[in-house]
Each structure stands twice: as structure tokens, then as C-alpha cells.
């Protein structure tokens, strides 16, 4: 019996991959800046926020994948079938605005990375990032799904190395990490930073996309749902552990090496502080990680936008055309706006408006017997999803409120 179990476990590995694509949303340039700012400003105090955020992300992403596997349809497709035409169009408009905000953050992050590496003007860097991300989308289709996953996972490896390399030079304090697991705040701004870290963790496009990814990867007919759901649980846990380690590593790096340094509330300032404390070599590695983060995130964001449009409007447009349209606002911002880090903040606030539209339907649909059949959520899962959804929505609206009432928000 033991060898058979080993074979079954081994067969799960070829099924892994979709969650790693979705997990890229958790290590985008906006998250990078927020986590570094949190560590530099409050040392290890907010470690617990990232741990809690990652646990919530595991739950939400698994639910999205489960919805896709059980129904054979994505969350946008289910919404498109159930919403009246006017509401469906309105829903699509807000989702497209969110997709544009996602692209804004990621193109700006990549442009900043190229400026740090090669001293390129931001607008030139934005054009390069847009062109490279457009070329990556050649691999985004059902026939090349595994190749696209392999590219994204490779970028995720670069991201991990780029952002965690500094920890080998400036290791964190073990006692500080342990103390950071105790939930607490020190002032109003620490609450705001926690809200920006926790409330912006689960991105709307990652929820929409994961339900599509599993169906693009696995044949909708003749599939064993129990095995696929088991593989998906493993996939989600592994992927989110990697993403969580990157985010936690950024906070720990900032806590151990950047405390007291001015300017760490922006990506450029954080990079300058890293160079000054850890040396130019680590600064280059960090910038390379930031560039990989931007390329992976913007490719995944364009993929998500295509699935949202196709599901809600039943219209498919070439991915390169979508990429071109969503690239324009980011390039305009880089051309005319003097403070790209503040534009990152605004993009995160825009994303906050979109999260309820994704997470509330997901919570509702996964609990419905007529949609999920025998795989509908049990009482424990229902309570967990309602609690997580309520917390994420409240924190996102808190972030919006605090931003527009004049409290300083980290980039």
C-alpha cells in the first residue's frame, strides 16, 4: 500500500502550476514598496500582518480555483451568465478600471527598475516593459499554458532571489521575528500601513484569473475532481508560501538593515538605502528582482483582463491589443507625472475599490448547492470565507478613507 500512496503523491506534481501564476499578484511592485516601508518604519512589529494576509490568501485562491474546477467555468463567466445585461456591463467597466490600475502599478515599477539599473528615462523604461510583457503574452493560450506557467515561475525564482539576497548579508533577529508575531500597533500610521499590507493583499484580478487558469490547464471532460482539488490545495499552499516568503523577506530585510533611513517610503528611496547599507551589488540584485516582478505581474494582469472581458461580455480580443490599450494610461503617467511612487499609491487605492466586487460573489457562489453541488462549502468554510471577506473589504475601505483624509500612505 505504501508504494501506491507514494505514486499517487508523485502524480500530483505535474498538476502544479496555475497557483504560481496567480501568486505573482502578491509580489508586485506595490507590495514591495509597502513591505519595505513597514519594516523600515516599525521594524518587526508588523510581521503578524503578513502571516495573517498569507493565510487569507491561501483560502481565497483555493476557493477561486475550486469554483473553476467544479463548475468548469470561471468566476467572470458565472457572473456574465447570471447578471442582467446593464449590470453585467457596469461590472465589466469597474473590472477594466481595476485592470488598468493594476497595469499602472506594474509598468511604473518596471520603469523604476530600469531607471535604477541603467539610468533610463521612466517613459523609455515603461515602453520597454510594455514591449517585453507583450512578447510574453505569445505564450498565453490553452496550447501553451504550461510554457506560460514555466516562464512565470522562472520570473518568480528571480524575484525571490532578488528580494531575499540581502538577508544573507544582514540576517534578521530571531527574537524580533518571534515578537512580531504578536498582533499590536503603536500609532495611527502603523494601523494605516497594516491596512495597506493586509487589505491590498488579495488582488481582484488574481481571484478572477485563478478560476480560469485551472480550466485552461485541465481538460474539462473526464477529470477526477477529487484528485484535482487535492492537487490544487498543494499548488496553492506551495505558491503562496513562496509569495509569502518574498513579502516577509522584504519586511525582515528592511527591519534588520534599513531602520532609521529616510526615503524608504518609495521604491527609489528603498533602493538607495539598500545600496548604502548592503552595497551596490545587493542594490543591483534588488533592482533585477523588481524588474522581474514587474514583467511577471503585468503579463499576468493582461491575461486576467482578457478573461474578465471574455467572461462578462462574451467578447474576445487579441491579447496584444488589450496590452496596448492598458499600456497607454501608464505611459501617460510616466510622461507627465513627476512622482511615480505616488501614482503607485493611487493605483493601490483604485484596486481597493474593486476587491468587494470579486470576493463577495466568490463567497456567495462557493456556498451555493445549485452551483457547486456536493462540493459546496460546509459551515466552517462558509464562516471562514464570510469572516475573511468582511475583513478584507473593511480594510480596503479603511485604506481608501485614510488615504483621502490626508494621512500619509506609504508607496
Amino acid at each position: 500500500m505504501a508504494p501506491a500512496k507514494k505514486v499517487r503523491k508523485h502524480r500530483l506534481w505535474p498538476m502544479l502550476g496555475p497557483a504560481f501564476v496567480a501568486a505573482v499578484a502578491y509580489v508586485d511592485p506595490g507590495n514591495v514598496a509597502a513591505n519595505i516601508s513597514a519594516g523600515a518604519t516599525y521594524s518587526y512589529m508588523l510581521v503578524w500582518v503578513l502571516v495573517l494576509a498569507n493565510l487569507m490568501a491561501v483560502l481565497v485562491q483555493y476557493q477561486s480555483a475550486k469554483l473553476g474546477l467544479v463548475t468548469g467555468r470561471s468566476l467572470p463567466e458565472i457572473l456574465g451568465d447570471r447578471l442582467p445585461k446593464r449590470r453585467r456591463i457596469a461590472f465589466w467597466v469597474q473590472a477594466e478600471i481595476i485592470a488598468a490600475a493594476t497595469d499602472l502599478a506594474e509598468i511604473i515599477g518596471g520603469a523604476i527598475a530600469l531607471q535604477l539599473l541603467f539610468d533610463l528615462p521612466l517613459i523609455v523604461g515603461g515602453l520597454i516593459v510594455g514591449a517585453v510583457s507583450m512578447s510574453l503574452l505569445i505564450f498565453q493560450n490553452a496550447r501553451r499554458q504550461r510554457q506560460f506557467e514555466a516562464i512565470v515561475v522562472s520570473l518568480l525564482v528571480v524575484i525571490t532571489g532578488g528580494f531575499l539576497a540581502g538577508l544573507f548579508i544582514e540576517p534578521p533577529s530571531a527574537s524580533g521575528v518571534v515578537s512580531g508575531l504578536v498582533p499590536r500597533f503603536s500609532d495611527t500610521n502603523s494601523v494605516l500601513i497594516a491596512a495597506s499590507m493586509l487589505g491590498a493583499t488579495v488582488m481582484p484580478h488574481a481571484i478572477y484569473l485563478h478560476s480560469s487558469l485551472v480550466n485552461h490547464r485541465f481538460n474539462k471532460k473526464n477529470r477526477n475532481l477529487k484528485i484535482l482539488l487535492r492537487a490544487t490545495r498543494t499548488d496553492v499552499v506551495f505558491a503562496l508560501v513562496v509569495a509569502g516568503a518574498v513579502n516577509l523577506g522584504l519586511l525582515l530585510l528592511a527591519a534588520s538593515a534599513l531602520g532609521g533611513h529616510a526615503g524608504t517610503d518609495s521604491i527609489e528611496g528603498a533602493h538607495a538605502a539598500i545600496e548604502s547599507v548592503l552595497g551596490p551589488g545587493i542594490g543591483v540584485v534588488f533592482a533585477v528582482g523588481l524588474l522581474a516582478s514587474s514583467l511577471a505581474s503585468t503579463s499576468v494582469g493582461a491575461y486576467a483582463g482578457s478573461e474578465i472581458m471574455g467572461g462578462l461580455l462574451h467578447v474576445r480580443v487579441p491579447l496584444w491589443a488589450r496590452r496596448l490599450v492598458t499600456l497607454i494610461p501608464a505611459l501617460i503617467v510616466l510622461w507627465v507625472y513627476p512622482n511615480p511612487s505616488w501614482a503607485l499609491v493611487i493605483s493601490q487605492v483604485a484596486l481597493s475599490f474593486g476587491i468587494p466586487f470579486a470576493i463577495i460573489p466568490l463567497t456567495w457562489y462557493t456556498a451555493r448547492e445549485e452551483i457547486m453541488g456536493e462540493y459546496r462549502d460546509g459551515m466552517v468554510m462558509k464562516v471562514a470565507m464570510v469572516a475573511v471577506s468582511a475583513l478584507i473589504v473593511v480594510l480596503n475601505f479603511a485604506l481608501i478613507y485614510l488615504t483621502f483624509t490626508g494621512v500619509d500612505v506609504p508607496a
Side-chain angles (χ1 to χ4, degrees), residues 16-36:
L16 306 186
F20 285 86
V21 176
V24 165
Y26 296 85
V27 289
D28 72 356
N31 289 43
V32 171
N35 291 325
I36 287 180

Side-chain angles (χ1 to χ4, degrees), residues 81-381:
D81 289 344
R82 289 174 169 261
L83 290 175
K85 184 176 181 180
R86 287 186 179 180
R87 292 183 185 177
R88 181 158 43 92
I89 293 173
F91 198 102
W92 170 74
V93 169
Q94 67 80 27
E96 287 293 341
I97 292 172
I98 297 309
T102 302
D103 270 341
L104 178 64
E106 287 145 6
I107 293 294
I108 288 174
I112 292 173
L114 288 172
Q115 186 177 65
L116 296 174
L117 287 167
F118 305 111
D119 200 27
L120 292 177
L122 288 173
I123 184 66
V124 174
L127 286 168
I128 292 172
V129 171
V132 174
S133 66
M134 197 176 296
S135 67
L136 291 178
L137 290 173
I138 294 172
F139 296 94
Q140 190 283 298
N141 57 56
R143 290 178 290 106
R144 294 179 174 177
Q145 180 72 15
R146 287 177 182 266
Q147 293 170 295
F148 185 74
E149 289 173 7
I151 292 170
V152 171
V153 169
S154 299
L155 289 171
L156 193 55
V157 170
V158 176
I159 293 165
T160 304
F163 290 153
L164 301 188
L167 290 175
F168 293 97
I169 295 176
E170 195 73 30
S173 160
S175 60
V177 175
V178 172
S179 70
L181 295 173
V182 179
R184 65 193 189 279
F185 300 105
S186 64
D187 54 27
T188 302
N189 199 53
S190 67
V191 177
L192 175 60
I193 291 180
S196 67
M197 294 164 64
L198 190 66
T201 292
V202 181
M203 295 293 183
H205 67 287
I207 299 175
Y208 295 126
L209 180 60
H210 205 163
S211 58
S212 293
L213 287 169
V214 289
N215 285 321
H216 289 177
R217 175 67 179 279
F218 305 114
N219 192 332
K220 295 182 183 181
K221 297 179 180 179
N222 303 319
R223 55 185 181 181
N224 188 316
L225 272 179
K226 289 186 178 179
I227 291 177
L228 286 178
L229 290 172
R230 180 180 160 201
T232 295
R233 283 193 292 270
T234 304
D235 193 26
V236 169
V237 170
F238 281 7
L240 270 297
V241 163
V242 173
V246 171
N247 284 314
L248 184 59
L250 286 166
L251 187 149
L252 297 181
L253 176 64
S256 62
L258 305 184
H261 285 263
T264 53
D265 57 346
S266 71
I267 291 178
E268 305 95 321
H271 177 263
I274 287 171
E275 279 196 327
S276 113
V277 175
L278 302 177
I282 295 299
V284 169
V285 173
F286 174 84
V288 169
L290 178 63
L291 180 59
S293 166
S294 172
L295 291 174
S297 299
T298 193
S299 299
V300 170
Y303 188 169
S306 173
E307 293 303 307
I308 291 167
M309 180 179 233
L312 286 168
L313 299 187
H314 311 299
V315 173
R316 295 283 178 181
V317 298
L319 267 175
W320 65 266
R322 282 194 55 85
R323 168 76 283 179
L324 192 60
V325 170
T326 57
L327 182 62
I328 292 171
L331 294 176
I332 291 173
V333 170
L334 289 172
W335 180 261
V336 304
Y337 201 64
N339 187 352
S341 289
W342 178 244
L344 283 176
V345 176
I346 297 302
S347 72
Q348 295 301 309
V349 174
L351 289 172
S352 297
F353 280 106
I355 188 69
F357 294 97
I359 199 167
I360 291 175
L362 177 67
T363 302
W364 176 256
Y365 291 151
T366 55
R368 306 298 295 175
E369 185 175 8
E370 68 270 21
I371 294 176
M372 302 294 289
E374 64 178 295
Y375 294 98
R376 72 187 186 281
D377 292 340
M379 184 54 66
V380 173
M381 183 62 83

